[in-house]
Amino acid sequence: MYKYKDNEGLVDLHVHTTASDGTLTPTEIVAYAKSKNLRAVAITDHDTIGGLEEALGAGDRLNFPVIPGVEISVDHQGKEMHILGYYIDIASDDLKENLQKLQDYRRERNPKMIRKLQELGFKINLAEVEAEAGGPIIGRPHFASVLVNKGYVRDKQEAFDKYLAGGMPGYVKKEKLVPREGIELILRAGGMPVLAHPKYLKEQGYAQLAALLSKLKSFGLQGIEAFYPNHDARDTETYLRLAAEHRLLVTGGTDFHGANKPDIDLGTGTGELQVPYEVVLKMEELRSGADGR
Ligand code: AMP
Ligand code: FE
Ligand code: FE
Ligand code: ZN
């Protein structure tokens, strides 16, 4: 069903900009997507819609379809889960207020991470990480960049593996919404909630994933990100099957972060990813209520 046909074109529905922890601006992303002959792009920054106005403006100017999105980190029984929201209303005050709260949680965490890294012997301060971020969303990739720039680690992956990943000595957990709150926030803003990169969940067996999806669907989940660079063919098959069984849409994207994830390119991921435009058509169909779900 989701076999890519040459003339249908491809999309990328999971993209980070400088508004969160990507390194290309929203305008640069739209221009890059257009230059790669994609059919559409969705901007999904972590916990912020700060890049969307610019992205939508660039889409208008360059005559390229841009879907306004967001990626909300939620706490799922102590483990991280990411919920993507598509077609959100960027004027929603409710959404703005709640995202501001999530940014406040980051602001509480950042000095604690600095202190831990200092205790590990690194000369690093908050101003350096803020400068690296260049905006209100400060994420662990920005800490990683500073550690790389100072020569403490060879690359960002080493920074995560040794210090910044969950459970590592530089990591500090931040307060988060729970899955139901993240899903409901997206729904209230008129958006379509989609479970991001299921491969990263603690649930891995089919039955476990099925139970989780049933629960998330009861909260209002509408889709699952089946196409993702870290999903192998078997994973993708599994997620397509789960989606069909739970009457969920499937989506896909690369999680492009520019130079912050140098192995991942827009549209193609590590080279093989193909997210068919048909995915967007199905999303629009659901939004217009055409398939009666
Ligand atoms: P934060 O939102 O500050 O918790 O940072 C989360 C971001 O850090 C993710 O979106 C990824 O870009 C990156 N990240 C998280 N875990 C890892 C990891 N183990 N290896 C590399 N990057 C990671
Ligand atoms: Fe990120
Ligand atoms: Fe994510
Ligand atoms: Zn992402």
Side-chain angles (χ1 to χ4, degrees), residues 14-205:
H14 190 153
V15 178
H16 296 267
T17 77
T18 46
S20 66
D21 57 356
T23 58
L24 298 194
T25 65
T27 303
E28 287 167 343
I29 293 284
V30 176
Y32 190 34
K34 182 170 174 145
S35 79
K36 298 202 90 174
N37 291 315
L38 296 181
R39 281 285 291 276
V41 71
I43 305 296
T44 56
D45 278 307
H46 297 288
D47 300 338
T48 183
I49 56 171
L52 294 183
E53 201 177 317
E54 180 185 327
L56 292 169
D60 279 345
R61 257 193 334 279
L62 298 174
N63 193 23
F64 187 84
V66 174
I67 298 168
V70 66
E71 180 177 29
I72 298 180
S73 305
V74 298
D75 182 292
H76 170 54
Q77 299 165 352
K79 287 272 164 49
E80 196 142 323
M81 173 189 285
H82 290 178
I83 309 284
L84 295 157
Y86 293 110
Y87 303 101
I88 46 170
D89 172 12
I90 67 169
S92 161
D93 286 328
D94 173 32
L95 183 62
K96 284 187 214 163
E97 280 161 26
N98 277 282
L99 293 177
Q100 181 57 51
K101 215 165 58 188
L102 299 181
Q103 291 180 32
D104 294 343
Y105 295 156
R106 284 180 183 275
R107 209 158 303 146
E108 287 162 25
R109 171 182 71 167
N110 294 333
K112 295 183 194 159
M113 286 204 22
I114 290 291
R115 219 165 310 132
K116 282 196 143 184
L117 291 168
Q118 287 172 342
E119 279 164 20
L120 287 165
F122 300 127
K123 290 198 181 357
I124 183 171
N125 63 54
L126 193 54
E128 292 163 342
V129 180
E130 284 170 348
E132 184 64 38
I137 294 285
I138 294 168
R140 283 177 283 159
H142 303 122
F143 286 84
S145 289
V146 174
L147 292 177
V148 173
N149 294 343
K150 297 198 156 198
Y152 290 128
V153 285
R154 270 188 320 273
D155 55 25
K156 286 174 195 152
Q157 195 54 54
E158 185 182 345
F160 271 95
D161 293 345
K162 285 190 172 163
Y163 307 111
L164 302 173
M168 290 298 123
Y171 174 72
V172 175
K173 213 167 153 169
K174 66 177 185 295
E175 206 175 324
K176 296 189 189 78
L177 301 179
V178 292
R180 175 179 214 137
E181 292 170 324
I183 289 170
E184 289 177 349
L185 178 59
I186 290 164
L187 288 172
R188 288 200 307 277
M192 182 178 287
V194 171
L195 178 63
H197 39 61
K199 180 97 182 192
Y200 295 156
L201 293 169
K202 67 185 167 95
E203 284 81 359
Q204 286 306 324

Side-chain angles (χ1 to χ4, degrees), residues 238-286:
T238 301
Y239 304 139
L240 292 176
R241 192 143 62 91
L242 281 161
E245 281 175 8
H246 291 79
R247 294 181 54 72
L248 291 164
L249 289 177
V250 301
T251 70
T254 59
D255 216 349
F256 182 71
H257 281 65
N260 275 337
K261 275 195 187 173
D263 302 343
I264 300 293
D265 198 5
L266 192 74
T268 52
T270 50
E272 303 289 296
L273 195 77
Q274 296 191 334
V275 185
Y277 183 61
E278 183 186 1
V279 163
V280 172
L281 296 178
K282 298 238 178 222
M283 290 166 93
E284 289 177 351
E285 197 180 297
L286 175 62

